[in-house]
């Protein structure tokens, strides 16, 4: 038998058939009972001198051994295909797994039992029974998987179980490869608000800002060899007496940093409803929203790690932006608590990590970009360090999650939030159960350097 389990869209592979000893290990309870009864009958026949009983014993013992030999010598050539749609899903959503088996040999197969290995988080292992597959024939089955916990989960390898007509032997053949399902954090569709220090995702360059609207405002330049004739500005050509072309300058992309505090000491509890999972989901929602608004975005953690890591750590436009978005969401799918106790590495990354050069798209102090932070518990030292991050940013919004607030104990989050506001942050306390979209709307309505906790905390 040969078997293959391709990754993604399709392919083939082969697996070893196993030795005779492995085939003997495939005896079922029924097969072992037949073998034991046959041996016992043969011994009794020898002791009692009963020839008829000896023949019965030999028959009972030989039947499972013949079935073992028959299955061991079976050489079905079966190819397998697994298709996972989609390969990246939000937590709580379903993905569909389609399995296709094809008999590529010249002989029909017997009864095949198909089983795919999946982690217990995704549900029970799917099992299917396939009837006889004719030469060149195909069989397709499908199942769905779902997880409320983000992460990366392997699917496979696929297993085929062969059995004889009497149910005495059952052999398992495994395919060689597997697929990976990525469960990303849940995201919310955020309202289009204007955050502190933000103008738009695309800022205007200094020369482009002179042009307001219409053909009369387009700033032309002299024709250069190699310029596309479709860019010729005929009105300016007639006016200046020489060939002039439109100055098509690409707008600069404003930059934004989403900072996620992952310190283990800053969060308590676990599970889909914990404060840390709320922060991860909020960071994912912010990243998606900012990318849709045309920002060049990066994900930064308290460890100083920036995603994407190339090009100064910020996403670029076009296809690269989509790839960077996928990379950041994949990172959030597996992000866990760090061992760090402070925010010093994140502070260093914000202070010198490429917030400059964001273009004219940001007003406000510094003009160096937008910073959106999700903080856990902050003591006095970390609060002061977070306050200093505001200096290098054109706008800064902080969502503070306090473990005491989430567990119903007396909290000092308001004092931390007030200190951040005094430093110029738009700071909001995030209580348990609040929708992130509501806090986002409040951040957009808050005046410069202030924030509200909506009466919570």
């Amino acid at each position: 038998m040969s078997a293959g389990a391709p990754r993604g869209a399709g392919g083939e592979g082969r697996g070893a058939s196993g030795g005779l000893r492995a085939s003997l290990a495939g005896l079922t309870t029924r097969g072992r009972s037949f073998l034991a009864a046959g041996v016992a009958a043969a011994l009794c026949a020898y002791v009692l001198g009963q020839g008829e009983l000896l023949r019965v014993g030999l028959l009972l013992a030989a039947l499972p051994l013949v079935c073992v030999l028959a299955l061991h010598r079976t050489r079905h050539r079966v190819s397998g295909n697994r298709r996972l749609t989609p390969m990246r899903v939000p937590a709580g959503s379903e993905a569909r797994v389609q399995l296709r088996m094809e008999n590529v040999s010249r002989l029909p197969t017997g009864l095949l039992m198909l089983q795919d290995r999946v982690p217990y988080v995704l549900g029970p292992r799917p099992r299917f029974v396939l009837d006889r597959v004719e030469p060149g024939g195909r069989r397709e089955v499908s199942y769905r998987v779902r997880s409320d916990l983000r992460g990366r989960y392997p699917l496979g390898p696929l297993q085929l179980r062969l059995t004889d007509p009497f149910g005495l032997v059952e052999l398992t053949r495994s395919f060689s490869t597997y697929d990976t399902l990525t469960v990303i954090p849940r995201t919310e569709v955020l309202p289009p608000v204007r955050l502190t220090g933000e103008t738009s995702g695309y800022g205007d360059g200094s020369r482009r800002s002179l042009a307001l609207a219409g053909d009369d405002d387009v700033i032309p330049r002299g024709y250069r060899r190699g310029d596309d004739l479709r860019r010729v500005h005929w009105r300016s050509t007639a006016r200046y007496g020489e060939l002039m072309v439109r100055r098509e300058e690409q707008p600069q992309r404003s930059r934004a940093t989403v900072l996620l505090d992952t310190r283990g000491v800053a969060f308590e509890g676990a599970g889909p409803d914990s404060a840390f999972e709320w922060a991860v989901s909020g960071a994912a929602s912010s990243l998606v929203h900012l990318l849709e608004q045309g920002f060049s975005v990066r994900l930064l953690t308290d460890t100083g790690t920036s995603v994407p890591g190339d090009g100064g750590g910020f996403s670029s436009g076009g296809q690269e932006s989509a790839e960077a978005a996928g990379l950041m969401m994949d990172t959030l799918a597996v992000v866990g608590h760090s061992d760090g106790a402070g925010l010093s590495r994140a502070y260093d990354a914000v202070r010198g990590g490429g917030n400059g050069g964001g273009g004219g798209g940001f007003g406000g102090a510094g003009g160096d970009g937008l910073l959106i932070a999700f903080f856990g518990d902050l003591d006095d030292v970390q609060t002061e360090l977070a306050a200093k991050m505001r200096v290098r940013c054109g706008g800064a919004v902080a969502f503070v999650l306090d473990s005491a607030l989430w567990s119903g104990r007396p909290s000092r989050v308001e004092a931390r939030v007030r200190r951040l506001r005094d430093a110029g942050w738009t700071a909001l306390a995030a209580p348990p159960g609040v929708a992130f979209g509501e806090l986002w709307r409040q951040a957009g309505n808050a005046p410069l350097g202030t924030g509200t906790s909506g009466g919570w905390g």
Side-chain angles (χ1 to χ4, degrees), residues 84-420:
L84 178 60
T85 310
M87 300 188 70
R88 182 188 291 118
V89 297
S93 300
E94 289 186 343
R96 184 171 182 263
V97 183
Q98 184 175 0
L99 305 175
R100 185 178 66 180
M101 308 300 300
E102 181 178 1
N103 183 11
V104 297
S105 68
R106 298 180 180 180
L107 299 175
T109 68
L111 187 67
L112 300 178
M113 288 179 287
L114 186 65
Q115 175 179 281
D116 206 8
R117 289 186 177 181
V118 299
Y120 72 94
V121 177
L122 301 181
R125 288 187 177 182
R127 294 179 174 88
F128 307 94
V129 178
L130 303 181
D131 294 331
R132 175 182 178 273
V133 182
E134 66 278 5
R138 297 179 181 178
R139 299 291 186 271
E140 293 186 359
V141 293
S142 64
Y143 64 95
R144 296 184 179 274
V145 291
R146 177 181 180 275
S147 174
D148 292 327
L149 301 175
R150 56 185 177 83
R152 292 173 62 87
Y153 303 102
L155 300 178
L158 197 63
Q159 291 182 330
L160 281 178
R161 290 191 295 171
L162 302 176
T163 184
D164 65 286
F166 304 102
L168 303 178
V169 186
E170 186 179 277
L171 300 183
T172 300
R173 297 290 183 261
S174 295
F175 288 63
S176 57
T177 59
Y178 60 92
D179 291 277
T180 301
L181 174 66
T182 302
V183 181
I184 61 177
R186 294 185 180 94
T187 58
E188 296 185 36
V189 178
L190 302 181
V193 299
R194 185 180 297 277
L195 299 176
T196 300
E198 173 193 352
T199 57
S200 64
Y202 286 96
D204 294 329
S206 58
R207 290 178 293 182
R208 184 177 177 85
S209 61
L210 299 176
L212 300 177
D215 261 355
D216 293 337
D217 294 322
V218 175
I219 301 178
R221 61 168 174 80
Y223 176 83
R224 298 172 186 170
R225 185 175 181 180
D227 284 339
D228 192 345
L229 292 179
R230 290 175 295 183
R231 293 174 53 192
V232 173
H233 194 253
W234 298 108
R235 184 176 298 179
S236 298
T237 298
R239 179 179 178 181
Y240 293 103
E242 61 176 317
L243 203 58
M244 306 292 290
V245 296
R246 296 181 181 88
R247 188 192 303 274
E248 294 185 356
E249 191 168 318
Q250 296 295 326
Q252 297 177 354
R253 291 168 60 89
S254 300
R255 293 182 175 182
T257 297
V258 176
L259 171 60
L260 177 63
D261 184 2
T262 64
R263 295 173 298 141
V265 297
F267 296 93
E268 294 180 4
D273 298 327
S274 64
F276 182 68
E277 292 301 322
W278 189 97
V280 173
S281 178
S285 301
S286 301
L287 288 170
V288 172
H289 177 77
L290 292 172
L291 287 170
E292 290 176 349
Q293 296 300 315
F295 281 84
S296 180
V297 184
R298 68 170 174 173
L299 171 65
L300 182 66
T301 67
D302 60 288
T303 62
T305 304
S306 177
V307 181
D310 299 330
F314 288 88
S315 62
S316 55
Q319 181 65 24
E320 291 79 6
S321 180
E323 294 176 357
L327 181 59
M328 287 185 283
M329 296 304 288
D330 288 346
T331 301
L332 289 177
V334 297
V335 67
H337 291 300
S338 69
D339 297 330
L343 301 172
S344 57
R345 293 182 180 178
Y347 171 74
D348 294 337
V350 172
R351 183 178 60 182
N355 275 334
F362 290 94
D368 287 337
L370 177 64
L371 174 61
I372 299 177
F374 295 84
F375 293 121
D377 291 342
L378 297 174
D379 56 22
D380 294 337
V381 175
Q382 303 310 317
T383 301
E384 292 300 322
L385 198 59
K388 294 179 182 179
M389 296 183 188
R390 174 65 178 84
V391 178
R392 290 295 305 272
C393 304
V397 181
F399 302 96
V400 184
L401 297 90
D402 184 73
S403 296
L405 187 64
W406 278 70
S407 60
R409 304 193 308 270
S411 172
R412 297 185 59 190
V413 66
E414 281 300 332
R416 313 302 186 195
V417 168
R418 191 178 305 112
R419 176 65 187 95
L420 293 178

Side-chain angles (χ1 to χ4, degrees), residues 44-52:
C44 292
Y46 177 77
V47 173
L48 300 176
Q50 298 291 330
E52 292 79 2

Side-chain angles (χ1 to χ4, degrees), residues 431-451:
V434 66
F436 178 64
E438 177 61 27
L439 288 185
W440 182 268
R441 185 179 291 104
Q442 291 186 30
N445 296 331
L448 177 64
T450 65

